[in-house]
Amino acid sequence: MEEAKHIEAGEAKQIEAEEAQRIEAGEAKHIEAGETSRSSRKVITFEPKLVINKGISVLGFVLRLFAVFGTIGSALAMGTTHESVVSLSQLVLLKVKYSDLPTLMFFVVANAIAGGYLVLSLPVSIFHIFSTKAKTSRILLLVIDTVMLALVSSGASAATATVYLAHEGNTTANWPPICQQFDGFCERISGSLIGSFCAVILLMLIVINSAISLSRH
């Protein structure tokens, strides 16, 4: 009888030990599950500053893309402008093209240079989207963007004075308006000015965008 009691007591101890091991194993699994869930939460969470910086970089790329169309489109429109009309009073063929006016030539050169630079800056702008910590290249772009802004705005301003004289003339200097005869020429150069001034506004926004991006580093 005593041996049976000893056997039963031993079996009870083994059962208790197995149950304790199961409880410990379950607790360990719960702890591991909690740690994995915490680690997964750490991976899923986003840093607000990083998201905002990427958004600013994406906006800068979009602005550059639109500025490319504004500058190159204006340069092409102005550079291909010419018109020929027959003067009924003098019975001669009158011709006019953009290269006859130095200010319009400067307008084409300024917009072409700015457009070429903006095209070359697009890959760098894409790089800034994925590498938000890049600082040296942002400073370089900001400096050149400012120079391009000054170049395009000066070209557009110079061409504006010429276009105004072409439309209105100057009675004091006895300069008659040429748009009465070359209306197609005047319409085209006026449209080129609109595109160039839109590019000026976009370049201003690009400079502001670059300054904000640098201030956040």
Side-chain angles (χ1 to χ4, degrees):
M1 293 294 290
E2 291 179 358
E3 291 180 357
K5 288 180 180 180
H6 284 296
I7 293 170
E8 290 178 356
E11 291 178 352
K13 289 180 180 179
Q14 289 180 356
I15 292 171
E16 290 177 357
E18 290 177 356
E19 289 180 354
Q21 290 178 356
R22 289 176 183 175
I23 292 171
E24 290 178 357
E27 290 178 353
K29 288 181 180 179
H30 283 299
I31 293 170
E32 290 178 357
E35 290 178 352
T36 54
S37 63
R38 289 177 183 175
S39 61
S40 62
R41 287 177 184 174
K42 290 181 181 179
V43 172
I44 294 172
T45 55
F46 295 99
E47 296 181 6
K49 184 178 179 180
L50 180 62
V51 174
I52 293 173
N53 289 340
K54 283 186 177 293
I56 293 173
S57 299
V58 171
L59 179 60
F61 173 77
V62 174
L63 291 174
R64 288 180 187 277
L65 191 61
F66 280 107
V68 167
F69 291 110
T71 52
I72 295 181
S74 297
L76 289 175
M78 183 70 79
T80 56
T81 300
H82 59 85
E83 189 177 5
S84 301
V85 296
V86 177
S87 176
L88 298 178
S89 60
Q90 299 176 357
L91 296 178
V92 294
L93 181 65
L94 302 177
K95 297 181 180 180
V96 65
K97 54 184 178 180
Y98 85 98
S99 58
D100 295 332
L101 302 168
T103 54
L104 299 186
M105 290 183 64
F106 174 63
F107 174 89
V108 173
V109 172
N111 280 274
I113 292 174
Y117 157 72
L118 288 169
V119 170
L120 295 176
S121 69
L122 289 177
V124 183
S125 184
I126 295 174
F127 168 73
H128 289 162
I129 296 175
F130 298 99
S131 179
T132 57
K133 294 182 179 180
K135 190 174 181 180
T136 304
S137 57
R138 292 180 189 274
I139 296 174
L140 182 62
L141 283 185
L142 178 59
V143 172
I144 303 178
D145 289 340
T146 306
V147 174
M148 292 298 111
L149 174 59
L151 181 64
V152 175
S153 60
S154 62
S157 300
T160 301
T162 301
V163 173
Y164 176 80
L165 288 175
H167 280 280
E168 302 296 332
N170 191 319
T171 56
T172 304
N174 292 323
W175 292 342
I178 65 172
C179 290
Q180 294 177 356
Q181 294 177 322
F182 302 100
D183 54 344
F185 174 80
C186 291
E187 288 178 1
R188 186 147 182 163
I189 61 178
S190 299
S192 300
L193 279 179
I194 294 173
S196 184
F197 276 112
C198 290
V200 169
I201 295 173
L202 289 171
L203 283 168
M204 291 173 64
L205 295 175
I206 289 171
V207 170
I208 295 172
N209 178 275
S210 299
I212 294 173
S213 180
L214 280 173
S215 67
R216 296 182 62 85
H217 283 74

